[in-house]
């Protein structure tokens, strides 16, 4: 009699364990159902206008708005999102390891990256550009950067692209972060900061920099921002559907104006899904 009681209890425990495993497993790719689950999204946390973690712990920027909209279409409320910093050098590894469900972090689509991860989108066509002091009229063309001090962050290829292809006599200055470059431009220690125009517009849109900077408008490269997912993930199709809806219902244009408008950023129209501009 006593033996049967123990066996019954063990059976109940086993049944509960099996049920919990079936409901809470992390290995499935069944995202998009919501239902109180969490979704983990990789973003930049140090790029104003794109992805920034504010001192009060909030996340703001165009990529944050896009990611939040997409998550909503997948069945997740804003409170269901767990944000995780996605540094440029770590993005493919984060997706491959399953650290995040998707990444929206000024993530330009290129062949090398597409061999490792899949991309939904693109959702923004940006261009490499320069940020100048508002009163500087000496740089009107990329070739005018010759003999000028040109800044970008350590590890970035943006400044080297300019030197290799457009202004071979440019004096490259590599700083630890874009904010340091920006301070250098403001203080006239640096003549220009170069990276994607969307990132530059985000910085220039900050209240403390209003009227101090301008974009050159040079469009030196095409940067197709995509949302990265693990190779073979069915999230790609679901995210593409969400992005199309974001454009059609006006939410995309609203997010562009809210995050880049103060800098006078002349954005490209919303790109078509799958249309990669070389």
């Amino acid at each position: 009699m006593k033996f049967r009681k123990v066996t019954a209890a063990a059976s109940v425990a086993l049944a509960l364990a099996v049920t919990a495993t079936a409901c809470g497993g992390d290995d499935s790719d069944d995202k998009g159902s919501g239902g109180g689950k969490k979704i983990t999204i990789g973003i930049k946390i140090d790029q104003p206008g794109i992805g920034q973690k504010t001192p009060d712990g909030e996340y703001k920027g165009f990529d944050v708005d896009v990611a939040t909209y997409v998550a909503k279409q997948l069945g997740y409320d804003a409170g269901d999102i767990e944000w995780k910093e996605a540094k440029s050098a770590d993005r493919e590894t984060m997706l491959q390891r399953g650290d995040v469900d998707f990444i929206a972090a000024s993530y330009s689509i290129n062949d090398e990256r597409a061999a490792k991860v899949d991309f939904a989108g693109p959702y923004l066509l940006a261009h490499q550009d320069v940020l100048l002091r508002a009163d500087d009229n000496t740089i009107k063309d990329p070739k005018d950067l010759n003999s000028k001090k040109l800044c970008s962050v350590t590890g970035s290829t943006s400044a080297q692209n300019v030197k290799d292809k457009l202004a071979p006599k440019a004096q490259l200055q590599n700083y630890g972060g874009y904010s340091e470059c920006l301070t250098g431009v403001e203080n006239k220690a640096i003549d220009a900061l170069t990276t994607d125009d969307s990132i530059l517009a985000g910085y220039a849109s900050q209240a403390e920099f209003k009227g101090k900077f301008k974009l050159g408008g040079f469009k030196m490269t095409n940067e197709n921002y995509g949302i990265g997912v693990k190779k073979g993930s069915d999230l790609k199709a679901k995210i593409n559907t969400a992005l199309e809806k974001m454009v059609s219902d006006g939410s995309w244009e609203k997010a562009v104006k809210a995050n880049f408008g103060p800098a006078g950023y002349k954005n490209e129209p919303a790109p078509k899904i799958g249309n990669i501009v070389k």
Side-chain angles (χ1 to χ4, degrees):
M1 193 69 170
K2 187 176 181 180
F3 178 78
R4 285 197 296 271
K5 287 182 178 178
V6 172
T7 302
S11 298
V12 171
L14 178 61
L16 289 173
V18 171
T19 301
T21 302
C23 293
D26 293 330
D27 294 333
S28 71
D29 197 20
D30 184 25
K31 292 291 179 180
S33 58
K37 293 183 180 180
K38 295 288 186 180
I39 186 167
T40 306
I41 302 173
I43 55 165
K44 292 293 179 69
I45 65 170
D46 59 353
Q47 292 181 349
I50 296 288
Q52 181 184 31
K53 184 177 182 180
T54 64
D56 58 4
E58 291 187 29
Y59 294 90
K60 296 182 177 180
F62 181 69
D63 281 352
V64 174
D65 289 347
V66 170
T68 301
Y69 185 98
V70 167
K72 182 70 174 178
Q73 297 304 307
L74 294 176
Y76 297 89
D77 293 329
D80 298 327
I81 298 173
E82 294 180 349
W83 301 107
K84 184 171 287 191
E85 181 181 10
K87 295 181 178 180
S88 295
D90 299 335
R91 290 177 295 200
E92 287 83 45
T93 302
M94 291 175 71
L95 289 168
Q96 291 167 340
R97 284 193 313 228
D99 296 342
V100 293
D101 294 301
F102 68 80
I103 291 178
S106 53
Y107 203 0
S108 297
I109 302 170
N110 62 36
D111 293 340
E112 181 181 357
R113 291 169 179 165
K116 300 174 182 177
V117 301
D118 284 342
F119 285 99
Y123 63 91
L124 183 72
L125 176 59
H127 306 281
Q128 186 180 339
D129 200 356
V130 294
L131 192 70
L132 311 167
R133 288 184 297 278
D135 60 356
D136 186 350
N137 296 313
T138 65
I139 301 173
K140 299 178 180 179
D141 186 270
K143 68 177 185 295
D144 294 332
L145 293 167
N146 280 305
S147 300
K148 299 287 188 178
K149 293 179 180 178
L150 179 66
C151 187
S152 193
V153 299
T154 302
S156 170
T157 59
S158 297
Q160 193 63 48
N161 285 342
V162 174
K163 186 174 178 67
D164 289 347
K165 301 174 183 178
L166 299 168
K169 295 182 181 179
Q171 300 175 31
L172 303 189
Q173 306 286 321
N174 290 317
Y175 286 8
Y178 291 117
S179 295
E180 297 172 49
C181 287
L182 202 65
T183 300
V185 176
E186 184 178 14
N187 296 335
K188 299 185 178 182
I190 298 294
D191 297 301
L193 160 60
T194 186
T195 187
D196 297 354
D197 53 7
S198 56
I199 297 173
L200 297 175
Y203 276 105
S205 295
Q206 302 305 290
E208 63 268 34
F209 298 134
K210 188 175 181 180
K212 292 184 178 181
F213 302 105
K214 64 183 178 182
L215 274 71
F218 297 159
K219 296 186 178 182
M220 294 180 280
T221 63
N222 295 318
E223 306 295 337
N224 300 270
Y225 285 7
I227 292 181
V229 298
K230 191 173 183 177
K231 202 74 174 172
S233 173
D234 63 358
L235 272 182
K236 176 179 176 179
K238 296 176 182 178
I239 292 173
N240 279 335
T241 298
L243 291 174
E244 289 174 337
K245 183 176 180 181
M246 187 177 187
V247 173
S248 66
D249 70 13
S251 298
W252 185 90
E253 188 68 28
K254 182 179 178 181
V256 168
K257 290 180 178 177
N259 291 290
F260 305 132
Y265 176 54
K266 295 178 175 60
N267 64 282
E268 299 280 3
K272 298 293 184 182
I273 299 299
N275 183 25
I276 309 300
V277 180
K278 299 296 186 178

